[in-house]
Amino acid sequence: MHAFAMASLCRICSLVVVLQLLHVYSLGIYGFKHQTGKDNVTSPTNGKPFPWNKMRLPGMVVPIQYDLCVHPNLTTVHFTGLERIEIFVREHTRFIILHSKGLEITSAVLLPKDDLGSSKPGKQLQVLEHPAHEQIALQAPEVLTAGQRYLVVIEFHARLADGFDGFYKSTYKARDGETRIIATTDFEPTSARMAFPCFDEPSFKANFAITIRRERKHIALSNMPKIKTIELEGGLLEDHFDVTVKMSTYLVAYIVCDFKSVQATTSSGIKLSIYASPDKWSQTHYALEAAVKLLEFYEKYFDISFPLPKLDLVAIPDFQSGAMENWGLITYRETSLLYDPKTSSAFDKLWVTRVIGHELAHQWFGNLVTMEWWNDIWLNEGFARFMELVSVSATYSELQIEDYFLNVCFGAISRDSLNSSHPISNPAETPTQIKEMFDTVSYDKGACILKMLQDFLSEAVFQKGIIHYLKKYSYRNAKNDDLWNSMANTCSESDFSSGNFCYTFSHMGKLTEIEEMMNTWTLQKGIPLVLVKCEGNTLRLRQERFLKGVFEEDPEWANLQSRYFWHIPLTYVTSSSNTVHRHILKTKTDTLELEGEVAWVKFNVDMNGYYIVHYEGNGWDNIIKLLDQNHTLFSHKDRVNLIHNAFQLVSAGRLSLDTALDLTRYLRRESSNVVLLQGLGYLEMFYHMMERRNISDVTENLKRYILQHFKPVIDKQTWSDEGSVSDRMLRSALLELACELQYPRCIQKANELFSKWMGSGGTLNLPADVLKTVYSVGAQSIAGWNYLLKQYSLSMSGAEKNKILYALTTSRHCEKLTKLIELGMEGEVIKTQDLAALLNAIARNPEGQGLAWNFVRKNWNNLLKKFELASFSIRTIIVGTTSRFSSKDKLEEVKHFFKSLEDQGSELKITEVVLETITKNIRWLKRNLNSLRNWLLNNL
């Protein structure tokens, strides 16, 4: 603590000359154009010239420490705040530019740092506002001297926000029916400014001393441990928290609630607590066990101690994303932290463990070392997603996260193979652009290229590199290049050598500069296609940009290919050797000489690389024969990779659908669950596409083919929670599909279990892995649907509520689906946080697709009152209700709607992705429908 104690701060009002201001109001939902001009001034809403015209803050003044006192009143749902910011002036200036959004500032005073002990009043600062840029300027009566420190004291107040950003209210219903209110924060990326005026950019790191006022029935939590509580007049309590380490504003957090906790201490002495609402306390124990294991793992792996004395993980009743990594006070959606053994499935357990692993990784990647600007958000999110794999593999190997991680990369490829993708490191200036950076490219592609780099360097060298990076940039900010330089310069003499850079020897004896290689993956969008042609013992290789829905004969194809090429760390195995061979493809074409002729070659071993492979000539026919004869020649990950590549190549016009489907015929003999699910996933996707387009003959034949071809493995499934995690996930997926396809044995068993559950008044414990299937079958009757909705409102398990809600969306009765949307908009029975997932699920239902789409078009402005433009929820709603369309008339409808949004100023990058996806769907159907129809007739 600095000399000016927090207790004094909360009573500093007597020093301050109150300055009434016009109300600062928030940025409109329709965005803005960047303002420029010859003069470095703009005209803010209150009419006075604003001294700064850029979105980014100037560097003339930087914060050293914030002393922040906040009092949320949970009865009036308002909060008041008083902050003292110690600043350092780098250049002479009369203005302090900082961020503020939606706050009414009632006073702003400047105190010279050295005059604190004197009785001289502070100098009042004039407050100028620029709502479009979410900025305020504090104008001093005289020039602030470069090299000096000052104190800025600001009083402010606002309503607790209704949404999910800034300092907002969250409610939950106790078991006795009482609705209780809590106040919580969520600041990433640009919402700390909604809670207190601040320098709200990641590079303006500072220390924070937080004080919270509360009623006796509540507790207060913040980033650091509480050091004392003072009782104030009127019965309020004032909790003082220790000063934080140096950190960015988006990581500040505080909560006022009535939650209960479970606690443990790690082997290194960190006090770890899991908080939840009192009725859900019993669901916190697994999270505590997992968090202790994972935190201890990270301390060893990174060779850096967790720098805070405590870590709290809190389940928030209203939360838009999965979780938020606030340093020392991580907040979660309830379903991402709480685990109920009675209703949480194997997949739920993997999800909770992954999210805890992700957020704990952020305590180092993001919190300790922060990206310099949001264009490199992947340095936070890509690493955290990748560290899920590393940490959960090491601590919970039985969850088999390595298999799940294949889906992470498939998701990235799905987006990255569209021209509307973007580079991992991508310019972003406005809050809208910044929010849009939090997507599958930053998270999933980021993770997948790190996995590729780890495989290329070796686990040991990679680990050494990231330790070097974290230690070098601790409590600082870093850029893309800083990571590659750290990686390159970390190796021991035996690993790397050479001048200013450090190099790694590939197994082929060539030298590769890491930065040059990795820049081809982070600074350009897209994914490479490696074409392999086998001629005797010579492999001819060439690389292209892989694009779905654009074919070689298209006029735009050449232009979309030009200037794209990658340094690809190839791996391959052959029929003559299990040895993993390596080669770096740094040119458009290359040749490899094999030692003697081989029967087959398989590239991208275990899918550790981020590229698609096409085996030209009779390459795919040979692979199909091999899989038919002995599929175990390839590892299970290689088999998943082959199936995935084949169907991707169909979408790019490189492989016939017949060939890809022929490749799946061997699956009836497949023993690996993850491979089975991959193959079935494509067949299921085609089924839903045909059903939505009402192509009844193909729909019926696909259903017959799946139920005939996979009958043995479906019939083998038990209605239980037995077996490995992989067995349990296969069971959930297979039974759900079988019942959806109206397989009589499945429907009969699900109805039987549902009737027993309903007859028990909802008290019978059904196996968690089959709950979703049982509920979905039960929801098809009016009585079953009504009963499920009643149980939904009563359930205390988020995992169970998710399964019930999904089941309710499978009803074929439009009035029931309409009722769900109404409940989602009301936000009482179905919380607003679940509205995006609800609309997505309804749109998946053929009876609900048009309903959901029409609702979004008619209620767009109402949706924007609930969710910020470019928020995860809005993007989910847009993609979920439109991207399954596959007809020209729907494409025109969607184009027209997106044009109307653009005309209003609501421009979003995701709309390009959707339009390209629908176009791809249309072209896929036109090109492949007859092939699919004929293939099914020939194989039934």
Side-chain angles (χ1 to χ4, degrees), residues 63-217:
I64 305 297
Q65 177 161 319
Y66 296 78
D67 290 352
L68 175 64
C69 180
V70 182
H71 175 207
N73 185 321
L74 300 190
T75 305
T76 63
V77 205
H78 277 75
F79 68 93
T80 55
L82 180 61
E83 70 177 336
R84 184 195 67 168
I85 313 174
E86 181 183 338
I87 59 169
F88 177 75
V89 179
R90 285 176 169 166
E91 299 172 34
H92 295 318
T93 180
R94 280 192 62 193
F95 294 95
I96 303 163
I97 314 291
L98 64 164
H99 289 107
S100 179
K101 178 182 175 183
L103 301 171
E104 184 163 341
I105 297 172
T106 52
S107 168
V109 169
L110 183 72
L111 297 165
K113 180 80 166 70
D114 300 330
D115 280 4
L116 280 181
S118 75
S119 58
K120 285 194 291 187
K123 293 175 181 173
Q124 71 180 38
L125 296 164
Q126 186 179 10
V127 184
L128 304 175
E129 305 158 13
H130 196 343
H133 286 187
E134 303 178 358
Q135 292 171 356
I136 57 171
L138 305 179
Q139 183 176 346
E142 57 202 36
V143 172
L144 306 181
T145 309
Q148 294 295 308
R149 295 189 180 204
Y150 296 85
L151 294 167
V152 179
V153 182
I154 305 174
E155 288 185 76
F156 56 94
H157 65 87
R159 278 186 65 82
L160 286 170
D162 286 323
F164 303 91
D165 303 294
F167 194 21
Y168 69 94
K169 72 167 185 182
S170 173
T171 62
Y172 72 93
K173 193 163 277 189
R175 207 181 287 277
D176 61 10
E178 179 194 358
T179 297
R180 299 183 189 175
I181 298 175
I182 72 164
T184 186
T185 58
D186 194 30
F187 292 161
E188 190 180 32
T190 59
S191 295
R193 64 193 69 173
M194 294 173 67
F196 58 99
C198 56
F199 298 81
D200 198 13
E201 293 178 5
S203 61
F204 286 89
K205 291 193 171 188
N207 302 100
F208 296 82
I210 310 286
T211 300
I212 306 288
R213 289 180 176 176
R214 61 175 172 87
E215 293 181 59
R216 195 175 296 275
K217 65 181 179 181

Side-chain angles (χ1 to χ4, degrees), residues 673-866:
N673 296 337
V674 68
V675 185
L676 258 176
L677 287 176
Q678 183 65 24
L680 259 174
Y682 285 107
L683 297 173
E684 184 179 359
M685 183 175 72
F686 300 153
Y687 172 81
H688 288 304
M689 181 187 270
M690 299 302 127
E691 186 185 31
R692 272 191 292 274
R693 287 299 306 277
N694 201 25
I695 305 170
S696 53
D697 64 318
V698 183
T699 306
E700 190 56 36
N701 282 341
L702 259 169
K703 174 177 153 180
R704 282 177 58 209
Y705 177 78
I706 293 169
L707 291 178
Q708 278 179 27
H709 202 68
F710 296 98
K711 185 178 188 297
V713 70
I714 292 169
D715 287 346
K716 199 169 73 175
Q717 302 307 309
T718 60
W719 295 71
S720 69
D721 287 338
E722 295 163 1
S724 68
V725 167
S726 170
D727 291 338
R728 294 175 62 186
M729 287 188 184
L730 179 71
R731 174 186 303 128
S732 294
L734 276 180
L735 292 178
E736 187 182 335
L737 176 60
C739 280
E740 193 171 1
L741 298 178
Q742 301 298 305
Y743 182 43
R745 278 181 63 171
C746 188
I747 296 288
Q748 183 185 345
K749 183 65 176 177
N751 269 323
E752 179 190 317
L753 291 173
F754 186 80
S755 296
K756 286 181 181 174
W757 175 73
M758 202 166 149
S760 74
T763 59
L764 179 69
N765 287 332
L766 296 175
D769 293 332
V770 300
L771 279 181
K772 193 173 167 188
T773 298
V774 171
Y775 292 159
S776 295
V777 171
Q780 301 316 304
S781 73
I782 299 292
W785 194 93
N786 291 337
Y787 186 75
L788 279 165
L789 183 59
K790 179 187 162 197
Q791 289 303 113
Y792 180 85
S793 65
L794 297 173
S795 176
M796 283 292 160
S797 162
E800 181 179 42
K801 286 172 87 87
N802 270 358
K803 295 174 183 66
I804 294 176
L805 189 58
Y806 175 82
L808 292 169
T809 68
T810 64
S811 170
R812 297 297 169 121
H813 297 281
C814 280
E815 68 275 12
K816 294 297 186 189
L817 302 178
T818 302
K819 170 75 171 171
L820 291 177
I821 295 175
E822 288 168 358
L823 291 172
M825 287 298 282
E826 286 167 13
E828 293 294 326
V829 176
I830 299 173
K831 280 187 165 284
T832 304
Q833 68 172 8
D834 298 315
L835 179 59
L838 173 71
L839 287 167
N840 182 29
I842 289 173
R844 182 184 177 275
N845 180 341
E847 299 300 324
Q849 183 167 19
L851 187 73
W853 165 232
N854 290 332
F855 171 81
V856 169
R857 285 192 291 172
K858 289 174 188 167
N859 292 274
W860 180 252
N861 290 334
N862 290 329
L863 290 169
L864 284 183
K865 289 173 187 171
K866 295 180 180 294

Side-chain angles (χ1 to χ4, degrees), residues 77 159 202 250 369 399 412 473 523 563 595 597 637 666 761 779 908:
V77 205
R159 278 186 65 82
Y250 77 88
V369 180
L399 293 179
Y473 293 100
L523 302 184
R563 300 184 308 283
E595 295 176 8
E597 286 198 32
K637 287 182 184 175
Y666 92 93
L908 287 173

